[in-house]
Amino acid sequence: MFTIGAIIAVSTFLILFSTSYDLSIFIPTQRNYLNPYFFLGAIHELYSDLASILIVLIFLISIVFIAIISYAFTSSQKKDISIMKAFGTLPGRIYKFYLSEVFFIFLIGFLLGVILGLSFYYIFTSIMTFLDFSITFEFNTLLLSILFILGCFSSLFTSAIFLERIGKKSIIQTFSKDVPYHFCVEKLKYIPKWLSLLGKNVKFSILNIKRRKGKFKQYFLIFLIISMIIFTVGLGTLVLRNTSKTWINKAQGEDILVIGHKNVVFAYAGMYSMFSNPNLLIHQYQIDLTDGSYLFNYSEISELETIPSLLQIDRRLLSFCNLQEIQGIAGDENAEIRTIGENRFGNFPVMGLNLFSLSQFYELEGYPFTTENANYTMIIGDGLANTFFEEPFNQRLQFIDYGVQFFISGIFIDTLYSGFASYMGLSQFQTLLEIPSDNINLLLLKPIPNTLEYSISQILPIIRNLGNQFVCINFETIFSENSDFIDKLTLYNLSVISLMALVSLLSLYNFQKGDLTDKIKDFRIMRALGSPLKNIRRILFFEGLFILISATLLSFAGGMIVNSLFLFENVILPPLYVPFLLSGIIMVFYIGLNSLTILPIIKKIQQEKFNEL
Amino acid sequence: MEKNKDKLGCSPKNKQNEEDGENTGGVLIKLSDVTKDYEIGEYIVRAVDNVSLRINKGQLVALKGPSGAGKTTLLNLIGGLDKPTKGRVMSFGLNISEMDEKSLAIFRLVHTGFIFQNYNLISTLSAEENVMFPMDLCGHPLERQRKVAVALLRDVGLEERREHLPIQLSAGEQQRVAIARAISNDPPLILADEPTANLDQETVNLIRVFFTRLKELQKTIIIATHDDLLIELADRVITFGDGTIVGGS
C-alpha cells in the first residue's frame, strides 16, 4: 500500500510539474496571463511534445509498478488461497475476496499518494515561486482520473491473472513444495558449459537470474522504462535546448544595436521580452508606432555607412496592423477538397524589412519573398503559424484596414511578439501605410565582433542629428532574458531526470533487498561452505549489472525511436556521439548506483547468523 | 587458478602439513573453557557452558543429548561458523576463535565439510553444481570438479538426478547430495548435525555406510545425533546436557 502510495505520489508530482508551463498537449490550456502570446510558438510545440511523451512514460511506469506490486501481493497469498480451495470455496468467491482486497489496497495507496504528491508539489511551487520561477499550482482532475483508472485496471488485471493461474492448478500442486511463483525449475537450455570459465561469480549471478527470471523480467521492465524516461528526456532536452537556443540566437542575433525613438525602441524591446514574460503585453493602444515623431529619415544618418566596424545596416518599419486569416482550400490524400481556416482576426505587429540587408538570420520554414513577389507575398512568425492559421501555406493574410491580401511564403521562428509578428518588404509596407520611402522607425546595426564599444562611440555622434529622443540601445540584455528562459525549461527537464534518478536508486535498492529474502539462505549456505563475502558482493553486483546493461541498451534503442518519431522531425540534431555518450553516462551512473545499493545489503548479509541454518 | 588454489591451501599437501606439523599428540581439535551466549531480546541464553574438549585425528565422535542441549552450537564453534563468547577453540593448530571473517571462510572451505540437518543446498544450483560448489571455490579445474561430482553422486545413488534442482528432490535425496557436497573437497574434518533426522530408512542406511567408509579413510568426524546405530559406529560418545558435557567416553 505504501509502495503504491509512493509511486502515485511521484507520478502526481511529475504530472502536475508538467503543467507548469502548459507544456503538455494533454492538458487544456488555462492561460490567465496578461500576455496571451507568452511562449506559444514553435519552441513551445517542441517542449510540449517532449512533455507529452514524458506523461505517457510516467503513466506507463506507474502501471508497471502497480502491476508488479499487485501480482506480488496476490501471489504472497498463495497458501491461503490453496487452503480456501481445499475447503471448497467457489472460484467466484475467491476472486471477489482477493480482488476486493487488492482494490482497497490500491484505493488507499492512491489517495495517500495523491495527498503526498500534492503536498510535495505545493511545497515545491512555493519554493520555486520564492526563487522567482513562474510555476503554477494546479490540480489536474483529468490526468489524475486517468491515472486512477489505469492504476486500478492494472492492479485488478494482474491479480486476476495470478488467481486464474492458480485456479488452473490442482490443490496438491498449489500446496506442494511452496516453490516461489517466479522460480524457474525447468532445465536451463541456454547455459553453456563454458560459463564457468567466466568465473564462479558471473556464473552464479547468471544462474540466479535464469532461475529467478520472473523477478528479473519485472525489474528489467522497470529499469527499461526508467532508463527510457531518463534517456528520452535527457536527449530530448539536449536536442531542444540546442535547437531552441540556435533558433533564438539566429532570430535575435548577437550584439545587435537598435536605433530609434526611445518609445519605439522600448516597445520593440518589450515585444521581444513578451516571449518569456507572461505579464508583459505591448499593444496598439499603448503606442502608435508610426506617429510622425517616431519616424525618421534614414538619409539624415546615412553617415553611419562610413563606420568601418558596421557589418550590416538594417532598416525597419514596425507597426501594429489589424490582420485577418483568410480561409483557404486544401486537398487531402483522398483528393477531397476541404476548407481550412476560421477567418480569425487580431491586431499584431508587422515588420517591414529588406531581406537582403538583414542583421538577423532567422530560421525559415518555406521560402523568403523576393523582389518580384514581395507585393503579394509575406512571411509570418511561428506563433501566428501555429495558432492563428491552420495551414498557413494554403491560406492568405489580409490587412483588414487596407483590404490587401498576401500569400504566405515562409515562417520565421522568432521571439518577437512571441512569434506573433509578420514580415513583409520594407517598401511594400511603406507604400501600404503611405509613409515616404526613406522613413523608418527602427534601424538595426550589426557591428563586427569585438567592436561594439568602438561602434557605439562612432554611432552616438551621428544619431544626435535625429534629436535627443532618439537612442541607440544594445539589445543583448533583452535577448539574454529569452535565452535564460530556455535554460529554465532545461532546468525543468533536469528536475525530472533527477527525480527519475532517485526513483531508479530506490528501485534498485528495492530489487536487491526484496530479492534478498529469497536469496539470503543461499548466501548463508555459501558463506558456511567457505565462500568469502566478496564473492557474494560480486554476485549481487553482476545480477544488478546484467539488468541495468540490458535495460540501458534497450532504452537507448527505444528512446531513439521515440525521439525520432515525435521530436526529431523539426529540430537541429546534435552530433551522433551525443546519444551514445548519454547512454554511456546513464550506464556509468547505474553502475555507480548498483555498487552503492549493495553496501547496505552486504551489511545485512554480514549480520546474518549461521545458527539459523 | 593453481595460484588461487595454493593461496587458499586447498591442496592435500597443505592440509597434511597443518595436520602433522602443528598438532602435537594427534589432537586435532581442542576446546578450552568455551562458553557461548546468545542474546535473545532482553535475555541472554547460554548455549554452551564452559566446555573443554579434545578430539583426536581420525576419531568418529558422536555428540548426543536432548534438543537444545547445545550440540549444534558446539558443532558450529568447532567448524568456525560461530565464535565463542569466552574461551578458545583450536582446530588444526589454528586459534579459530580469534580469526577474522575472511580467514574463517577459508578455514571452513579448506578444513571442514558440513552436513546440516536441513540439508541446506543452494536453491538455484542443480545437485551436480551443489557438489561442485566447494571445489569451484577452491579453484579446481572444471573438468575435475565435474568428474568428482559425478562420481560422488553415483556413490550416493543420484547420478541420474544430477541435473535436478533441490526443490525437485525429496528430503532423503537432498541429504545425500549434501553429504556428497560435504566430502567433495576432501576435507579432513566432517561435521554432521542430525544427518539422519526425519529421513527414510534407505537413506539412513546409506548415510551409515558412508560414515563407516569415511572412518576407514581416517577422516575426523563429529556427529550430533540421536540415531543409536550411528552412535554405535562412534569411537567416542559425548553426552551433552544444558550446554555442558554431562557424560561420555
Side-chain angles (χ1 to χ4, degrees):
Chain A
M1 186 169 71
F2 291 109
T3 321
I4 291 179
I7 294 155
I8 298 294
V10 172
S11 306
T12 306
F13 182 90
L14 284 172
I15 289 167
L16 295 177
F17 195 17
S18 304
T19 69
S20 302
Y21 286 113
D22 300 325
L23 277 181
S24 172
I25 50 166
F26 299 121
I27 299 160
T29 308
Q30 297 172 356
R31 288 174 169 264
N32 297 315
Y33 309 127
L34 175 70
N35 169 12
Y37 312 115
F38 161 65
F39 193 51
L40 262 188
I43 296 171
H44 173 265
E45 285 280 303
L46 291 177
Y47 276 89
S48 165
D49 285 347
L50 184 65
S52 302
I53 295 168
L54 181 67
I55 285 184
V56 171
L57 290 172
I58 291 166
F59 277 138
L60 198 63
I61 200 166
S62 309
I63 293 166
V64 170
F65 258 116
I66 291 167
I68 288 170
I69 292 163
S70 305
Y71 194 89
F73 171 77
T74 320
S75 61
S76 71
Q77 312 289 314
K78 183 185 160 192
K79 205 173 172 185
D80 290 349
I81 297 168
S82 308
I83 294 168
M84 285 173 85
K85 271 179 75 182
F87 278 102
T89 315
L90 291 170
R93 209 178 168 86
I94 295 177
Y95 272 100
K96 210 169 162 184
F97 183 81
Y98 282 102
L99 291 184
S100 308
E101 196 175 353
V102 166
F103 175 74
F104 281 113
I105 289 173
F106 169 74
L107 185 67
I108 297 167
F110 185 85
L111 292 174
L112 201 74
V114 168
I115 293 167
L116 264 175
L118 283 172
S119 311
F120 286 144
Y121 189 66
Y122 181 75
I123 295 166
F124 178 77
T125 46
S126 305
I127 295 169
M128 293 306 267
T129 310
F130 179 74
L131 295 174
D132 210 23
F133 280 80
S134 54
I135 286 183
T136 51
F137 178 80
E138 269 172 32
F139 184 84
N140 195 291
T141 325
L142 176 73
L143 287 182
L144 290 180
S145 305
I146 294 171
L147 185 66
F148 177 80
I149 292 164
L150 290 176
C152 188
F153 175 76
S154 139
S155 163
L156 294 177
F157 182 70
T158 45
S159 300
I161 283 180
F162 178 78
L163 290 172
E164 202 198 335
R165 273 188 192 172
I166 206 167
K168 283 179 183 169
K169 287 186 179 174
S170 72
I171 296 166
I172 298 301
Q173 268 182 317
T174 55
F175 270 129
S176 67
K177 301 267 188 182
D178 208 20
V179 180
Y181 70 92
H182 49 70
F183 203 88
C184 167
V185 290
E186 292 142 29
K187 190 180 169 187
L188 301 176
K189 290 174 190 165
Y190 306 110
I191 297 290
K193 295 279 182 195
W194 49 262
L195 195 64
S196 302
L197 298 174
L198 296 175
K200 53 183 170 291
N201 301 322
V202 175
K203 175 185 153 188
F204 205 87
S205 52
I206 291 175
L207 285 176
N208 265 353
I209 286 169
K210 291 286 279 181
R211 288 285 171 219
R212 297 187 171 92
K213 65 179 179 188
K215 271 253 161 112
F216 179 80
K217 276 183 199 166
Q218 288 172 3
Y219 278 91
F220 173 73
L221 201 61
I222 289 172
F223 283 105
L224 176 64
I225 301 171
I226 291 176
S227 316
M228 219 156 107
I229 291 180
I230 296 178
F231 183 79
T232 308
V233 176
L235 184 62
T237 304
L238 282 176
V239 169
L240 294 196
R241 189 176 182 277
N242 183 29
T243 305
S244 47
K245 282 235 168 185
T246 309
W247 286 350
I248 288 178
N249 288 342
K250 279 171 93 174
Q252 295 181 159
E254 273 178 41
D255 290 340
I256 297 290
L257 298 169
V258 180
I259 294 169
H261 189 281
K262 64 181 180 186
N263 291 353
V264 177
V265 172
F266 289 138
Y268 185 54
M271 285 182 193
Y272 272 110
S273 298
M274 277 171 62
F275 174 78
S276 55
N277 188 346
N279 301 313
L280 176 71
L281 177 66
I282 309 293
H283 55 81
Q284 57 170 331
Y285 303 114
Q286 287 172 339
I287 183 168
D288 176 9
L289 292 163
T290 49
D291 183 270
S293 57
Y294 298 153
L295 297 171
F296 60 93
N297 194 323
Y298 172 69
S299 58
E300 287 179 48
I301 50 169
S302 58
E303 206 184 324
L304 288 169
E305 291 169 15
T306 61
I307 301 173
S309 61
L310 291 182
L311 274 177
Q312 206 67 262
I313 297 173
D314 181 3
R315 288 176 294 160
R316 305 276 182 104
L317 181 63
L318 179 67
S319 179
F320 282 106
C321 295
N322 291 318
L323 302 175
Q324 185 172 17
E325 165 222 20
I326 300 297
Q327 285 185 327
I329 289 169
D332 59 19
E333 289 163 355
N334 303 322
E336 283 181 21
I337 303 295
R338 59 193 171 85
T339 309
I340 45 172
E342 293 177 13
N343 290 327
R344 301 174 186 93
F345 55 87
N347 188 276
F348 301 106
V350 177
M351 177 79 82
L353 42 74
N354 190 340
L355 288 181
F356 301 105
S357 59
L358 279 180
S359 53
Q360 295 154 318
F361 302 96
Y362 301 95
E363 182 74 22
L364 174 72
E365 188 186 340
Y367 302 96
F369 51 80
T370 59
T371 320
E372 289 75 33
N373 66 15
N375 284 326
Y376 54 89
T377 309
M378 64 186 294
I379 291 170
I380 56 169
D382 53 302
L384 274 182
N386 284 341
T387 53
F388 199 65
F389 287 88
E390 280 174 38
E391 292 180 26
F393 295 125
N394 290 324
Q395 294 180 258
R396 281 164 294 158
L397 185 68
Q398 175 166 271
F399 284 76
I400 297 170
D401 300 331
Y402 308 102
V404 187
Q405 291 184 0
F406 283 80
F407 289 105
I408 293 150
S409 66
I411 299 163
F412 272 160
I413 295 174
D414 194 5
T415 52
L416 181 69
Y417 221 72
S418 205
F420 282 76
S422 310
Y423 311 83
M424 61 186 292
L426 177 61
S427 58
Q428 282 75 17
F429 198 34
Q430 284 165 331
T431 311
L432 196 71
L433 299 181
E434 296 173 349
I435 290 173
S437 62
D438 251 6
N439 281 11
I440 52 175
N441 55 9
L442 284 170
L443 187 69
L444 274 63
L445 303 173
K446 185 171 175 56
I448 293 169
N450 304 321
T451 61
L452 188 70
E453 296 294 318
Y454 168 77
S455 302
I456 292 171
S457 67
Q458 296 294 304
I459 293 163
L460 287 176
I462 298 170
I463 64 164
R464 272 194 206 119
N465 297 341
L466 299 172
N468 57 7
Q469 297 292 308
F470 284 79
V471 289
C472 174
I473 304 277
N474 180 359
F475 262 38
E476 196 57 33
T477 319
I478 289 112
F479 290 157
S480 65
E481 281 171 11
N482 292 338
S483 196
D484 293 346
F485 177 72
I486 296 297
D487 289 334
K488 277 188 187 177
L489 289 179
T490 308
L491 205 64
Y492 154 83
N493 289 335
L494 286 178
S495 308
V496 174
I497 292 172
S498 308
L499 197 61
M500 290 321 295
L502 189 68
V503 172
S504 57
L505 174 75
L506 294 173
S507 308
L508 196 58
Y509 178 70
N510 201 42
F511 164 67
Q512 298 284 22
K513 191 170 160 251
D515 215 26
L516 197 66
T517 324
D518 287 345
K519 292 189 288 200
I520 197 123
K521 197 182 171 197
D522 284 350
F523 287 143
R524 211 185 289 145
I525 298 166
M526 287 166 68
R527 286 184 68 208
L529 295 176
S531 182
L533 210 56
K534 69 173 183 197
N535 282 8
I536 293 165
R537 191 184 299 126
R538 284 177 189 165
I539 289 167
L540 284 172
F541 178 80
F542 284 127
E543 278 180 37
L545 191 71
F546 294 143
I547 290 183
L548 296 172
I549 286 180
S550 46
T552 312
L553 289 177
L554 206 63
S555 75
F556 172 76
M560 285 296 277
I561 292 168
V562 169
N563 272 314
S564 57
L565 280 178
F566 299 102
L567 284 181
F568 287 172
E569 200 181 339
N570 299 315
V571 298
I572 299 162
L573 289 176
L576 194 62
Y577 71 85
V578 171
F580 286 97
L581 185 70
L582 189 66
S583 201
I585 291 170
I586 294 172
M587 212 180 274
V588 170
F589 165 74
Y590 272 160
I591 291 169
L593 215 63
N594 193 22
S595 315
L596 204 69
T597 52
I598 287 171
L599 296 177
I601 308 283
I602 287 292
K603 209 174 169 186
K604 197 175 154 68
I605 293 172
Q606 213 166 1
Q607 285 163 354
E608 283 286 318
K609 298 284 180 206
F610 291 113
N611 54 3
E612 286 165 33
L613 280 170
Chain B
M1 216 171 262
E2 280 299 320
K3 195 182 164 190
N4 187 29
K5 188 176 147 187
D6 286 345
K7 198 176 154 190
L8 291 172
C10 287
S11 65
K13 192 185 160 197
N14 284 350
K15 284 177 192 166
Q16 203 57 46
N17 285 345
E18 279 175 3
E19 285 168 37
D20 296 343
E22 296 180 43
N23 292 284
T24 52
V27 176
L28 195 70
I29 296 150
K30 186 180 168 188
L31 280 77
S32 312
D33 306 320
V34 170
T35 296
K36 179 66 191 176
D37 294 332
Y38 288 114
E39 274 182 48
I40 302 171
E42 292 175 359
Y43 302 99
I44 293 175
V45 176
R46 180 151 293 180
V48 173
D49 189 7
N50 207 29
V51 168
S52 293
L53 178 69
R54 283 164 184 245
I55 294 168
N56 289 341
K57 189 191 163 206
Q59 269 191 334
L60 195 161
V61 179
L63 298 175
K64 66 171 192 175
S67 295
K71 303 187 296 291
T72 303
T73 308
L74 192 75
L75 279 182
N76 288 348
L77 291 170
I78 293 169
L81 285 176
D82 215 343
K83 285 183 180 179
T85 315
K86 213 175 78 185
R88 196 168 68 153
V89 181
M90 295 289 292
S91 199
F92 296 88
L94 303 164
N95 183 359
I96 60 169
S97 40
E98 298 284 313
M99 277 184 181
D100 60 19
E101 263 309 311
K102 196 178 166 188
S103 310
L104 271 177
I106 295 170
F107 169 81
R108 290 194 294 266
L109 177 65
V110 174
H111 295 288
T112 67
F114 267 94
I115 300 163
F116 300 96
Q117 186 177 353
N118 297 324
Y119 334 123
N120 285 335
L121 298 180
I122 298 167
S123 63
T124 48
L125 300 183
S126 65
E128 186 185 43
E129 287 164 341
N130 261 290
V131 178
M132 286 162 66
F133 187 74
M135 294 186 274
D136 198 1
L137 285 178
C138 262
H140 291 306
L142 187 62
E143 276 315 304
R144 186 183 156 192
Q145 290 178 35
R146 246 183 244 290
K147 210 171 150 186
V148 173
V150 171
L152 286 170
L153 286 170
R154 191 184 304 125
D155 284 352
V156 295
L158 288 175
E159 194 190 359
E160 298 301 314
R161 311 204 65 180
R162 63 177 190 272
E163 286 183 346
H164 284 70
L165 288 175
I167 52 168
Q168 294 168 310
L169 300 171
S170 71
E173 287 168 336
Q174 286 190 52
Q175 189 63 304
R176 283 191 257 168
V177 176
I179 290 170
R181 182 182 65 184
I183 58 173
S184 64
N185 233 0
D186 194 23
L189 175 64
I190 312 285
L191 299 160
D193 187 8
E194 303 281 7
T196 55
N198 308 319
L199 295 183
D200 58 286
Q201 198 53 48
E202 190 195 343
T203 308
V204 171
N205 291 338
L206 191 134
I207 290 170
R208 283 180 196 136
V209 172
F210 239 86
F211 278 120
T212 312
R213 276 173 55 191
L214 290 170
K215 195 182 157 188
E216 285 165 9
L217 289 168
Q218 284 294 295
K219 298 284 177 192
T220 308
I221 305 161
I222 306 171
I223 313 171
T225 185
H226 290 104
D227 186 338
D228 289 336
L229 288 172
L230 267 184
I231 293 170
E232 270 177 29
L233 287 177
D235 301 315
R236 188 177 164 196
V237 180
I238 298 168
T239 311
F240 243 69
D242 283 335
T244 190
I245 298 169
V246 291
S249 54

